[in-house]
Amino acid sequence: MRIKRLPESIVNKIAAGEVVDRPAGVLKELIENSLDARSEKIQIKIEKGGKKLIEVKDNGIGIHPDDILESVKRYSTSKITEIDDLYCINSYGFRGEALSSISSVSRFSIISRQKDFPLGKELFIEGGVFRYLSDVGAPVGTVVRVRDLFFNVPAREKFLKSEKTEQKHLIDTFLRYAICHPNVYFTLQVEDRILYNLLPSTIEGRLKNIFPKAENLLYFENENSTGKVYGYIASDIKSKGFVYINGRPIKNSILTRIIRSKAGENFFVVFIDLPPYFVDHNIHPSKIDVRFRKEKPVYDLVRSALDRMSKPKLHFSLSQSKVRYNAEFKILGQIENTFLVVYYDGEIYFIDQHVASERINYELLLKKYRTGNIPVENTNLKLDLMPDQVGKLNNLKEKLKSLGIVIYQENEQFYIKQIPSFSKVKDIKRFIYRILESEYSEIEIENFLGELACNISVEAGDILSDEEAKNLLKIWIETDNPNLCPHGRPIYYKIPVENIRKKVGRK
């Protein structure tokens, strides 16, 4: 499809205002353009954290010679042509703003050639000012060079971080797209060094090329009427993870929390395939934020996929057979009546006793909630509700009852009749108002159970006997996620004894 300016009827309906805020944002847009051009090979070069140079070279279909100038004009695109296209987007780009924004704040050149033409075209723009357009010999595909980013906007340049930090963001962006397109040959050159040379592969093969130390990749998958979810957890690598909706990298705090409940601090990659009309990418110019037509089915789809996965050894050597860890498990002591010091299998663990206890109690409460067996005590608390909250309360009564919260109505007034026996009155009221205002009742219930677990857990400062410490650790290690507390805090920190040997010079 040829490049042309979008009609005003579409321009007025998109979340416009594309702003290039850092080098990684430039790289993101250029990689997406190369992928949209059906490239099989994408070569990237960066210098000085992207401030001096960002170059993306591909072997895609190229740009028609008559469209080169049009490609850098705002709201010019080949990705959509009518309003309805916004609701079934299959390409990365669709607003026609990226190249216009990039070329306005850099020394920008683009060379492109399509296979039906003997020569390509080269366009050079400096700080948004046209310099030249000429014929040039070039292979089929496109090369974009962005030099001296923000040279003409010194105020914005001052907000950039160090070269090392910007380089880290660039690498992160590169990996986001290299992982979800394993069939594409990707290379990344930083200064004069090839950092990644990723031949076409499967997703698993691509992950192992990027993370050579990833020996345990745990696969999970689920599919239902909503869509399909699949992915991997690297049980031996601590790192941030990536989530994709229909092949597009996205950020979603609730999805991340659901995944982290199983993955802990380990690297994960999750792919969610949904019907295009089910997802709205037109929330923010970055297109990384999304909105679902219905959130709960998506979250349930991901949760059930993770639940089907076998219990992972989340880089935690204690999760082996009971016989083995009972034989080798050794408590060394307690630090500041807060941290249990444990030796196991060549490593020393510093375990936060409160957080470990919190994880145990959270999972126990979760099971009691699901079976309706949470212990309760009677009360008689007045509950003031707005008219629009009454209808939602009726829909949530059964879930609240399973939590041990029973509410009844007398005339026009509502009262709380029962509450969990270990809860605080102020916490109950706050939770009820919160869940009535939230669109995600299950998430709010999990948060509430986490708060209850915190109230009844061993505290920092409590002195534990050897027997109490052993019982705590034995139960904790059998939990579904021995890495994180319900609020996402790490439970332990470990040091290999081998590292201690090296530090003191013992071989």
Side-chain angles (χ1 to χ4, degrees):
M1 188 183 296
R2 295 286 297 276
I3 295 174
K4 58 184 179 181
R5 180 176 168 80
L6 293 173
E8 290 301 317
S9 59
I10 298 182
V11 170
N12 292 334
K13 289 182 180 295
I14 63 177
E18 186 78 37
V19 175
V20 178
D21 60 348
R22 70 187 327 158
V26 173
L27 182 60
K28 168 187 177 294
E29 298 294 343
L30 298 184
I31 291 177
E32 288 184 349
N33 281 347
S34 292
L35 292 169
D36 283 342
R38 302 195 293 276
S39 303
E40 296 176 345
K41 185 175 184 179
I42 301 175
Q43 299 168 277
I44 297 164
K45 183 188 298 184
I46 60 176
E47 296 178 8
K48 302 296 181 182
K51 301 174 189 178
K52 181 179 179 182
L53 173 68
I54 300 172
E55 177 183 295
V56 178
K57 179 181 180 181
D58 68 51
N59 65 347
I61 60 176
I63 302 173
H64 191 283
D66 293 340
D67 291 347
I68 290 285
L69 270 175
E70 194 69 28
S71 70
V72 295
K73 293 180 181 178
R74 199 174 186 196
Y75 304 130
S76 293
T77 182
S78 62
K79 314 296 172 58
I80 62 174
T81 58
E82 56 187 42
I83 293 291
D84 290 345
D85 292 341
L86 288 173
Y87 306 102
C88 55
I89 295 168
N90 293 307
S91 62
Y92 280 112
F94 58 86
R95 294 196 181 93
E97 295 182 286
L99 294 186
S100 171
S101 297
I102 295 168
S103 63
S104 69
V105 292
S106 67
R107 294 185 171 93
F108 174 92
S109 70
I110 181 169
I111 299 172
S112 191
R113 177 189 153 218
Q114 291 190 332
K115 65 178 182 178
D116 296 333
F117 297 88
L119 293 174
K121 289 283 187 180
E122 179 177 13
L123 170 65
F124 183 69
I125 295 177
E126 188 173 32
V129 179
F130 171 83
R131 295 304 184 192
Y132 64 80
L133 175 65
S134 61
D135 292 332
V136 65
V140 173
T142 302
V143 182
V144 177
R145 294 186 180 94
V146 179
R147 298 184 184 275
D148 304 324
L149 187 63
F150 301 140
F151 80 96
N152 60 335
V153 194
R156 193 178 299 176
E157 185 179 16
K158 289 179 181 178
F159 280 91
L160 293 180
K161 304 299 182 182
S162 66
E163 287 182 13
K164 184 177 180 180
T165 298
E166 295 300 339
Q167 179 177 301
K168 183 179 179 181
H169 285 287
L170 285 161
I171 294 172
D172 179 78
T173 298
F174 169 83
L175 292 178
R176 282 182 186 275
Y177 292 93
I179 287 172
C180 69
H181 292 278
N183 58 312
V184 176
Y185 185 0
F186 275 93
T187 67
L188 175 61
Q189 179 178 330
V190 178
E191 308 302 337
D192 297 324
R193 176 169 160 250
I194 300 295
L195 203 61
Y196 290 99
N197 184 32
L198 305 175
L199 297 173
S201 181
T202 61
I203 294 175
E204 183 175 356
R206 175 64 49 96
L207 290 174
K208 289 184 175 180
N209 286 336
I210 294 171
F211 304 106
K213 294 182 180 180
E215 297 180 358
N216 297 312
L217 288 175
L218 304 168
Y219 182 74
F220 55 89
E221 180 181 341
N222 186 36
E223 186 170 5
N224 60 23
S225 58
T226 300
K228 179 179 180 180
V229 60
Y230 59 98
Y232 292 89
I233 293 175
S235 63
D236 42 14
I237 295 177
K238 278 188 176 182
S239 179
K240 65 184 295 183
F242 299 128
V243 181
Y244 302 89
I245 303 288
N246 295 342
R248 184 189 294 276
I250 64 106
K251 289 182 179 179
N252 182 288
S253 59
I254 296 178
L255 281 175
T256 299
R257 177 171 179 172
I258 292 170
I259 298 164
R260 283 290 180 207
S261 70
K262 285 290 184 181
E265 296 178 277
N266 296 276
F267 173 81
F268 62 81
V269 55
V270 178
F271 299 92
I272 305 172
D273 295 335
L274 301 169
Y277 66 83
F278 204 86
V279 189
D280 183 3
H281 294 284
N282 193 39
I283 306 300
H284 185 273
S286 69
K287 300 182 286 290
I288 201 166
D289 296 314
V290 297
R291 180 185 292 130
F292 305 115
R293 283 181 178 266
K294 294 182 179 179
E295 290 86 357
K296 189 175 183 301
V298 178
Y299 301 147
D300 288 346
L301 175 66
V302 175
R303 200 189 304 270
S304 58
L306 293 165
D307 286 343
R308 291 182 180 185
M309 182 179 63
S310 59
K311 184 178 176 182
K313 299 176 183 177
L314 298 175
H315 76 217
F316 193 75
S317 57
L318 288 177
S319 57
Q320 303 191 26
S321 67
K322 292 182 180 179
V323 174
R324 182 175 179 188
Y325 81 66
N326 280 342
E328 301 180 18
F329 195 75
K330 186 175 182 181
I331 297 176
L332 303 180
Q334 190 180 21
I335 298 176
E336 296 183 349
N337 299 330
T338 299
F339 300 101
L340 298 176
V341 185
V342 176
Y343 173 83
Y344 182 80
D345 197 23
E347 294 178 305
I348 296 175
Y349 292 80
F350 299 87
I351 301 165
D352 188 321
Q353 63 191 35
H354 171 72
V355 183
S357 177
E358 201 173 14
R359 166 52 61 181
I360 294 169
N361 288 320
Y362 170 73
E363 293 192 8
L364 288 174
L365 288 171
L366 193 59
K367 289 176 184 176
K368 288 182 180 293
Y369 158 67
R370 289 170 177 168
T371 57
N373 291 321
I374 289 182
V376 299
E377 63 182 42
N378 294 327
T379 186
N380 191 38
L381 301 172
K382 184 178 177 182
L383 187 66
D384 296 319
L385 297 178
M386 301 293 288
D388 60 327
Q389 294 176 319
V390 174
K392 191 163 186 180
L393 175 64
N394 291 328
N395 294 331
L396 291 170
K397 271 188 176 180
E398 288 305 311
K399 286 185 178 181
L400 291 173
K401 185 177 179 181
S402 296
L403 275 174
I405 301 173
V406 176
I407 300 174
Y408 74 97
Q409 183 178 4
E410 187 175 293
N411 298 324
E412 298 297 320
Q413 182 61 56
F414 288 85
Y415 298 90
I416 304 173
K417 183 179 179 180
Q418 284 184 338
I419 61 175
S421 57
F422 34 75
S423 60
K424 299 176 182 177
V425 171
K426 63 177 182 179
D427 293 337
I428 295 294
K429 282 193 171 183
R430 186 164 57 239
F431 163 68
I432 292 173
Y433 291 131
R434 197 169 66 215
I435 196 172
L436 290 176
E437 294 300 320
S438 175
E439 297 179 19
Y440 316 112
S441 60
E442 285 299 323
I443 298 295
E444 294 298 341
I445 288 170
E446 290 179 9
N447 289 340
F448 177 67
L449 291 174
E451 293 169 4
L452 291 183
C454 185
N455 292 340
I456 62 176
S457 294
V458 171
E459 295 289 345
D462 289 348
I463 300 175
L464 302 184
S465 67
D466 286 348
E467 193 62 31
E468 288 172 330
K470 285 180 181 178
N471 288 336
L472 174 69
L473 295 174
K474 184 176 180 179
I475 299 171
W476 160 65
I477 204 60
E478 295 298 334
T479 58
D480 290 336
N481 184 358
N483 293 278
L484 301 175
C485 82
H487 313 297
R489 289 172 52 202
I491 295 175
Y492 64 87
Y493 176 75
K494 67 177 181 178
I495 301 175
V497 174
E498 183 62 31
N499 288 1
I500 300 175
R501 293 178 197 263
K502 291 178 182 178
K503 290 294 184 182
V504 299
R506 179 175 291 276
K507 295 182 180 180

